[in-house]
Amino acid sequence: DFGGRVVVGAATGATAALISCPMEVATVRMSNDATLPLAERRNYTGVFDVVKRINAEEGVKAFWRGATPFAQRAALVGVFQVATLDQFKELYAKQLNQKKNSISNVFCAAMTSGLIYSIATMPLEASKNRMAIQKPDAVTGKLPYTGTIQTLRAVSANEGFMALYNGFLPYYMRCGGHTVSMFIIVQILRDNYKSMQ
């Protein structure tokens, strides 16, 4: 059962990431553009502009820049969310005397699952973002980041390993909030379904 959850969580997470990668690249590009120096900005006017320009200026493959760390991150999210939730529900039921599957039990377990998945996936999130916003070197025409491991190594070597965790608190708030919302809604739906039986 636990092994099955791990496989399903990883497969569904990675598949969803690969399907949504073009919109993720567009989102990262648009949100990052305003933070760049004026001379480096792409000055996108909206989502249709970013999609049109990426396609025209860089080609379709650019929509999947950062797809590997994005899919790896999403696979880990699926694994940590799905595979650890029940273990944490059991732990909190025993350690905090919570009723298993109560809203407070699901909340605590989901926040813990979200914390673990945030710690495990933040370096991949940072890699994905850097790969999505990168520009070719003006002289060589080569991209600075070519893959997940190379990006992780380059950032760690040039800026220190902890640079991969810049922005961790808002990332955890997003991940923890998403995990809590999702699992509480799932629990409410389960409870309502059982009460109708």
Side-chain angles (χ1 to χ4, degrees), residues 132-152:
I133 64 172
Q134 67 185 330
K135 290 183 177 181
D137 182 88
V139 177
T140 65
K142 293 186 177 184
L143 295 170
Y145 304 117
T146 58
T148 308
I149 301 299
Q150 183 269 338
T151 303
L152 293 170

Side-chain angles (χ1 to χ4, degrees), residues 36-80:
L36 296 173
L38 287 173
E40 295 179 26
R41 290 184 187 170
R42 293 178 170 114
N43 296 313
Y44 298 120
T45 59
V47 70
F48 295 112
D49 181 50
V50 73
V51 169
K52 183 175 121 189
R53 286 183 48 201
I54 288 173
N55 187 48
E57 296 168 11
E58 303 171 59
V60 173
K61 283 176 65 175
F63 286 111
W64 279 272
R65 261 194 213 136
T68 300
F70 189 38
Q72 291 166 332
R73 176 202 162 275
L76 285 177
V77 168
V79 167
F80 284 112

Side-chain angles (χ1 to χ4, degrees), residues 96-176:
L96 301 178
N97 285 331
Q98 292 178 334
K99 180 181 175 200
K100 189 172 179 196
N101 295 325
S102 65
I103 297 302
S104 62
N105 180 249
V106 173
F107 176 86
C108 291
M111 283 301 284
T112 308
S113 291
L115 176 63
I116 289 175
Y117 106 61
S118 297
I119 292 167
T121 63
M122 183 72 190
L124 296 171
E125 178 78 3
S127 297
K128 181 241 341 159
N129 289 342
R130 287 180 185 242
M131 291 176 78
I133 64 172
Q134 67 185 330
K135 290 183 177 181
D137 182 88
V139 177
T140 65
K142 293 186 177 184
L143 295 170
Y145 304 117
T146 58
T148 308
I149 301 299
Q150 183 269 338
T151 303
L152 293 170
R153 284 182 179 159
V155 172
S156 295
N158 296 330
E159 302 170 44
F161 178 75
M162 291 311 292
L164 295 168
Y165 285 92
N166 287 344
F168 179 78
L169 185 59
Y171 181 68
Y172 170 57
M173 290 170 65
R174 181 187 95 188
C175 299

